[in-house]
Amino acid sequence: MSPNSNPALAVGLLSALLMAIALASNSAMAENPRMYPSAKHPEYPFSEAVAYNEVLYLSGEIGADKSGQLVPGGIGPETKQVMNNIKATLARHQLDMSDIIKCTVFLADIAQWPTFNRVYAGYFNKGKYPARSALAASGLALGAAVEVECLAALN
């Protein structure tokens, strides 16, 4: 007996097929997030990064050095330190700057945006920049001039 000669059988087979597709989709999407605690700041309640569904979500980075202190000199040196911190975090996850797909930039003073851009652009191949948003913030951790969070594609 073929499904064409029995509408009930055809509906049953179609339902079974749709159920199998739904189950396969749900199991593929049900990947548990992988949390990577902050090695630099284990005392703080955040992860350095979280991997989920082929994306690595990086926590915001400020221009703090290994000692946890902001580098002196303002927006230029802080931006360089931020980007080096991001680069180091990516390297710990076997990624590099070309894997970044989106950045969100928080500036304590939006007038510093051009200075930030000059430093930031040097960390990417010209014309191969991630999507980005930039906004002014009324205050950043440790009195930082800049904070950047990123999303990177896991290949």
Side-chain angles (χ1 to χ4, degrees), residues 74-88:
I75 188 75
E78 281 188 45
T79 300
K80 185 175 180 182
Q81 185 66 50
V82 164
M83 300 308 290
N84 287 336
N85 291 347
I86 290 169
K87 198 172 179 180

Side-chain angles (χ1 to χ4, degrees), residues 56 58 87 89-99 152-155:
L56 186 68
L58 277 65
K87 198 172 179 180
T89 300
L90 290 169
R92 284 192 290 280
H93 297 276
Q94 291 74 52
L95 299 172
D96 61 37
M97 299 299 281
S98 69
D99 294 305
L154 292 169
N155 300 341

Side-chain angles (χ1 to χ4, degrees), residues 16-145:
L17 178 62
L18 291 174
M19 179 71 82
I21 291 170
L23 288 172
S25 296
N26 284 340
S27 66
M29 291 175 27
E31 176 185 328
N32 288 328
R34 294 181 309 277
M35 312 289 189
Y36 299 98
S38 174
K40 292 187 294 188
H41 303 288
E43 69 279 12
Y44 293 137
F46 66 87
S47 293
E48 166 183 279
V50 174
Y52 186 71
N53 282 349
E54 302 305 315
V55 176
L56 186 68
Y57 298 80
L58 277 65
S59 287
E61 283 284 352
I62 60 172
D65 60 18
K66 292 180 191 236
S67 73
Q69 301 299 310
L70 285 177
V71 295
I75 188 75
E78 281 188 45
T79 300
K80 185 175 180 182
Q81 185 66 50
V82 164
M83 300 308 290
N84 287 336
N85 291 347
I86 290 169
K87 198 172 179 180
T89 300
L90 290 169
R92 284 192 290 280
H93 297 276
Q94 291 74 52
L95 299 172
D96 61 37
M97 299 299 281
S98 69
D99 294 305
I100 296 176
I101 55 176
K102 171 75 167 92
C103 292
T104 304
V105 179
F106 305 92
L107 296 165
D109 179 359
I110 200 70
Q112 298 289 334
W113 190 59
T115 303
F116 169 82
N117 277 335
R118 279 192 292 279
V119 177
Y120 174 89
Y123 283 83
F124 300 97
N125 292 326
K126 188 172 181 149
K128 301 283 185 178
Y129 305 111
R132 191 180 85 183
S133 302
L135 56 122
S138 66
L140 299 171
L142 303 181

Side-chain angles (χ1 to χ4, degrees), residues 9-21:
L9 180 60
V11 169
L13 288 173
L14 182 58
S15 295
L17 178 62
L18 291 174
M19 179 71 82
I21 291 170

